[in-house]
Amino acid sequence: MGRREMDGAALRELVRRVEVDWRGEDVPDDERERFRRDVADHLGPVVRARVLETVGVAVDVEGVAMVADLLLDDGSCEDERRWLLVSPDPWGYLADWLVAVVGRSYRRADGTPRARAKELRHLEKALRSEA
């Protein structure tokens, strides 16, 4: 792992610009690629290890980079993007955010016992409210 191309200030600036430019496709492809490369090279191994530890599956670092790209573009993630802007360690926060999102996605897709237990609680609650 070499030196990250984007430092924290550059990541914050990119996040700020996403709202204005990214959705309009005005952010140059090379800038998007540089962001994904930084994520894959520097956060991918961290996210892979933490997801493996928490949910027991390995993830692809290129896929992690794609998810990071999608998160920055997702309009429903306003709070997370704002926190990324003010975080003293935006790359660390992005890693935490990716671990949470990827882990949650895996549990939902896999139907692991935790996800099933949650679904059963919701079903029980709904049945009680109907009675």
Side-chain angles (χ1 to χ4, degrees), residues 27-83:
V27 173
D29 287 341
D30 63 328
E31 192 170 353
R32 283 186 115 147
E33 181 55 37
R34 182 174 64 138
F35 169 72
R36 286 191 300 264
R37 178 63 22 225
D38 274 353
V39 170
D41 291 347
H42 301 285
L43 297 186
V46 172
V47 172
R48 180 188 309 171
R50 289 176 53 196
V51 170
L52 183 59
E53 180 182 314
T54 58
V55 296
V57 297
V59 296
D60 178 75
V61 296
E62 299 297 328
V64 169
M66 285 186 243
V67 169
D69 190 348
L70 293 171
L71 287 177
L72 293 187
D73 204 25
D74 185 351
S76 68
C77 297
E78 295 301 323
D79 290 336
E80 291 85 350
R81 280 205 308 269
R82 274 191 291 275
W83 181 250

Side-chain angles (χ1 to χ4, degrees), residues 7-25:
D7 62 7
L11 176 57
R12 285 185 190 95
E13 178 58 21
L14 177 64
V15 171
R16 186 194 65 75
R17 288 183 48 230
V18 164
E19 183 61 34
V20 177
D21 297 331
W22 202 297
R23 292 183 187 142
E25 300 298 324

Side-chain angles (χ1 to χ4, degrees), residues 73-120:
D73 204 25
D74 185 351
S76 68
C77 297
E78 295 301 323
D79 290 336
E80 291 85 350
R81 280 205 308 269
R82 274 191 291 275
W83 181 250
L84 198 102
L85 287 171
V86 300
S87 172
D89 178 16
W91 285 101
Y93 175 72
L94 182 56
D96 292 345
W97 187 13
L98 286 164
V99 169
V101 166
V102 170
R104 186 171 51 245
S105 295
Y106 174 74
R107 286 189 289 275
R108 286 180 180 164
D110 183 54
T112 58
R114 177 184 277 171
R116 289 185 195 133
K118 187 175 180 180
E119 289 173 16
L120 286 174

